[in-house]
Amino acid sequence: MTTEAEGAQPADGASGTTFLRPVPPLPRDELQGPGQVLARVYSLLAEGGYNPLDQLVGYLLSGDPAYITNYGDARSIIRRVGRDELLEELVRNFLAEDKS
């Protein structure tokens, strides 16, 4: 008797294979730094009707990418930059605005 784990097809005819959509590569000149990544993800979330602040804060605090929706590949875009880099960018910009 062969089990599905050994390569047999499930009884319903489905292969049981999950096909993942590849993440398209970004052009070299697009989204170079964490500031550009944050701006792009923010605009995608807003465009999709989501609350960008809630999703970004949830992701930055928890590290769980599930806080960011997949709309417009926002989740894969945000994961291209480390959370520490994103937080550094936010603090740097906050302090720069505070000085002016």
Side-chain angles (χ1 to χ4, degrees), residues 53-90:
L53 289 178
D54 285 351
Q55 291 199 15
L56 286 167
V57 168
Y59 170 67
L60 291 170
L61 290 177
S62 72
D64 184 359
Y67 274 97
I68 306 292
T69 184
N70 273 327
Y71 179 84
D73 285 331
R75 187 178 300 158
S76 63
I77 292 170
I78 197 86
R79 293 183 75 194
R80 293 177 182 177
V81 178
R83 282 177 36 230
D84 57 333
E85 295 175 80
L86 296 171
L87 287 167
E88 285 175 16
E89 182 71 14
L90 290 169

